[in-house]
Structure formats: structure tokens, C-alpha cells
Amino acid sequence: MESVEVLVIPQVSDEVLQRIQNVDCRVKIVDARGWFDVELRATWPQWTVDRYLGARKSPATSLEERNHALASAQIALTGWPPLKDLRARAPRLKWVHELPAGASNFLNTDLWGSDVLVTTSRGLTNRRPMAEYVLASFLHFARGLHLSYRDQKRHRFDHQTYDPVIVRDKTVCVVGAGGIGQEVAKLCAAAGMRVVGTRRQVASGAPLPPGFVRLESSRLLHDLLGESEFVAVCCPWTKETTHLIGRAAFAAMKTGTVLVNIARGEIIDEEALLHALAEGKLRGVALDVYVGEFEHPPESRLWDDGRVVITPHVSAATDVSEHRGVMLFCENLTRYLEGLPLENVIDWERGY
Ligand code: OXD
């Protein structure tokens, strides 16, 4: 095989570039780190640009140089946000790998549903920090810590309203028992919680992943919600999971449920969530994601509610990264060069 051009778009380190080069001498890296920032700034909503590109510096390049790099690339490594018109401008493109995990990141790009193989870092993101975010949120509301902000603001305690509960022996429903969901399950089980969960499909007779005492297909989600005090949404956002947590799901939940979403905002119907809060159904809600998070701030009625914690998509952030997206890219590069099937390819029909 002759050389393959690998276009590196995100601002990864020199060490990462070297690791990719070390995969095989046929790899010809086109170092386009940061080149496309100028286009990302022009094509993504200002909210996304401020949040993810900020004031970072990038090399000045001409459109001609960028188009030239795209014209010959067979493989591209991308980050978040991705280029919206990569397919159209890279006629020789065969495969794109994204360092983030979410397939839905490509929804507004011309790669979605295209003939190019697209792989994600699904399951290889910082799972432990995300699991810690979930458990921290559960404990926050279980101990009533959210009420301390109210008391602090008005300089008056109302100790009777705290009504703390212990998480040990309580049931948590992990919605989406993939790589992240399984990490959540392990940590919650270690805290003494009873863990049940759903997956899109569950093979009959397959052993339960560590931590789980029950795993069902998503058809049985409402049954599991009905036996849980805590719920963690960890599944990918697809056609099937849009508004998965809607009115019927809230109706199936116990009064006093704590709900955490570390996946995508669109999985929760926010009107139904507001309704459930108004009805007093939920003890607390932690949202690391919300509907339209790449375009605008959260819905004010959620942000203004003392039972809702909203964070800016930081659950995977950590001082000790365990992200293995580059590792997967390098392994897949070897497979690509050997003509073998790649891991973590997005199935456009399935949506992840
Ligand atoms: C994501 C990620 O896609 O954090 O949300 O990787």
C-alpha cells in the first residue's frame, strides 16, 4: 500500500502527533492543527465558539491551503466542534475519527449518513469522572445540600426541610448500560446501591456487567424507573432516545426521584421535566447537558429552580485524564492499513 494522508485537525499535542506517526511508516501526517478554527468560528453558533474555542490561538492559513489539505486527505482526525462540510470538500476521504464520544456531534454536518466511515471515542472517554459526577449529584440531593444555598442566601436555616436519605440499598436505574453506564454502575454499587439498568438490546443469558443486579432492554424502562429512587441517563442521543424521559417516564418514577443526565439534553423532554418538578415529583435534578446547549443558555425555568443543578458539559473533565480516544484511533489506523474492520464505527441507521 502506498502512503495514506492523515489530516489532523484538532489542537492535539506534538506527542499525540508522534504516536500517530509511529503507527506505520506509510502514514503521512498533514499537520492542520487549528487551521480550521477560523471556519469553525464562522459556522458554529457563537455560544459554541465561546465555550469550546474561546480565545485559543490558531495558525493563520488561507482558504486555498485548507482546501488543498482536504483535497488529498483519506483519513481525518477531528475534535469538537467538527467541520460542517468535510465530506463535500474532501473527495478522497474514507474515514474520520472524532476524539469526543457522541455520534450526535455529527448531526449537523455533511458526514451524517454519508459514505465515509466515521468512528467515535464512545466508551473511551473519561468514564470514571462521569461516574463520579453522577454519584456526587446523587449524594448532593440525598443529603439535601442544595437546600444550604437557599439558607445561605437568606441567612436562615430551615433544618426540617433537609429530610436526608441514605443512598445505601437504594435503587439506581442506569439508562444506557454502555461504557459510561457501566462505570456509573460500578461506582454506585461500591456505594452500596442496588443497580438496575437498560440497554437498547440485551442478549439473553449474557452475564450481567459488574455492579448490575438487573439489566433489561429499553422496552422495560418504565418498570425499572418504578423501582428506583435514583436515575442516571447515560445513553446516546438517537431517534429512539429523543424524549425517552418524557411524561410517561416521569409518571413511572417514584415521588422523590433524583435524576441525573450526563448524556445529551434532548433525551429528556424539558417541558415534561418542568411539569414533574411543578408536581413535586422530583427531589433533585442534575443536568450536565440541556436542550440546545450548543446554541444558548439553559431554559430559565430550570436554571431558576433550586432543585436543579446545571453544569456546562463538564462531567468528563478531570485532573487525571483516562481518555483513550487517541489510542483507539491508532489501533484503528493499524486495522485500516491492514484492510480490517474498524472499531466504533457509527451505524447511521442506529444513530451511534
Ligand atoms: C461528548 C464527549 O461527545 O464529551 O459529549 O466526548
Side-chain angles (χ1 to χ4, degrees):
M1 196 193 248
E2 38 191 76
S3 68
V4 276
E5 270 190 36
V6 178
L7 183 69
V8 178
I9 297 175
Q11 300 217 12
V12 293
S13 64
D14 291 345
E15 188 262 332
V16 164
L17 225 54
Q18 191 57 54
R19 275 168 67 194
I20 297 170
Q21 184 58 70
N22 290 347
V23 168
D24 196 288
C25 56
R26 288 167 290 178
V27 170
K28 181 168 170 248
I29 291 182
V30 178
D31 180 1
R33 290 177 291 175
W35 283 23
F36 292 89
D37 280 10
V38 57
E39 297 185 18
L40 299 177
R41 287 182 192 280
T43 52
W44 280 88
Q46 196 56 41
W47 186 265
T48 296
V49 171
D50 292 344
R51 163 76 175 86
Y52 293 97
L53 281 83
R56 82 182 179 202
K57 296 219 175 353
S58 42
T61 52
S62 66
L63 179 60
E64 201 186 349
E65 281 171 299
R66 295 194 296 275
N67 280 341
H68 181 73
L70 289 171
S72 49
Q74 284 143 280
I75 299 173
L77 180 66
T78 76
W80 169 262
L83 274 176
K84 294 198 172 182
D85 53 0
L86 192 53
R87 178 73 202 103
R89 291 163 71 194
R92 300 189 65 205
L93 198 61
K94 293 279 182 295
W95 165 39
V96 172
H97 180 74
E98 71 152 351
L99 289 176
S104 58
N105 293 343
F106 290 104
L107 274 175
N108 291 322
T109 75
D110 67 356
L111 282 170
W112 188 267
S114 75
D115 57 341
V116 172
L117 286 175
V118 180
T119 53
T120 69
S121 304
R122 175 167 64 89
L124 300 164
T125 179
N126 280 318
R127 301 192 305 198
R128 171 73 190 206
M130 295 178 91
E132 291 193 7
Y133 179 100
V134 170
L135 185 59
S137 304
F138 287 169
L139 292 167
H140 177 77
F141 290 111
R143 303 313 304 163
L145 299 183
H146 57 298
L147 298 171
S148 72
Y149 300 117
R150 174 202 62 190
D151 291 352
Q152 197 168 349
K153 217 155 141 194
R154 65 187 184 185
H155 286 202
R156 180 167 59 79
F157 286 124
D158 189 354
H159 71 272
Q160 265 157 357
T161 54
Y162 279 70
D163 188 26
V165 295
I166 195 160
V167 300
R168 191 188 57 217
D169 295 333
K170 298 293 188 311
T171 298
V172 48
C173 177
V174 175
V175 181
I180 296 164
Q182 291 183 23
E183 198 69 30
V184 169
K186 274 195 267 174
L187 196 59
C188 290
M193 301 179 83
R194 174 178 175 268
V195 185
V196 300
T198 59
R199 271 206 103 154
R200 189 166 169 271
Q201 272 167 349
V202 180
S204 73
L208 289 171
F212 284 93
V213 296
R214 188 177 171 199
L215 188 61
E216 302 288 355
S217 81
S218 33
R219 212 168 32 83
L220 290 183
L221 172 64
H222 293 181
D223 289 4
L224 296 188
L225 292 176
E227 61 180 65
S228 305
E229 286 82 18
F230 295 85
V231 177
V233 177
C234 307
C235 58
W237 172 32
T238 65
K239 274 186 292 199
E240 276 173 49
T241 64
T242 301
H243 288 187
L244 183 67
I245 307 297
R247 288 224 176 203
F250 285 113
M253 288 178 197
K254 291 184 178 183
T255 297
T257 292
V258 176
L259 171 68
V260 179
N261 188 1
I262 50 165
R264 286 292 184 270
E266 288 75 2
I267 299 165
I268 296 182
D269 174 351
E270 288 188 352
E271 280 306 319
L273 169 60
L274 284 158
H275 181 77
L277 283 161
E279 277 194 319
K281 185 98 197 198
L282 303 167
R283 184 182 177 92
V285 182
L287 304 175
D288 191 40
V289 288
Y290 59 86
V291 176
E293 65 169 307
F294 302 127
E295 288 170 9
H296 52 70
E299 151 74 62
S300 313
R301 287 173 295 165
L302 288 174
W303 225 354
D304 288 340
D305 193 312
R307 294 163 297 175
V308 182
V309 164
I310 311 184
T311 49
H313 207 129
V314 291
S315 61
T318 170
D319 59 332
V320 183
S321 180
E322 294 166 1
H323 201 289
R324 288 178 295 144
V326 172
M327 183 203 77
L328 175 66
F329 178 62
C330 291
E331 288 174 2
N332 264 343
L333 194 48
T334 303
R335 292 186 188 103
Y336 181 90
L337 293 166
E338 287 172 10
L340 295 171
L342 306 184
E343 295 279 329
N344 270 11
V345 176
I346 301 177
D347 172 337
W348 301 120
E349 197 39 49
R350 198 179 60 173
Y352 66 98

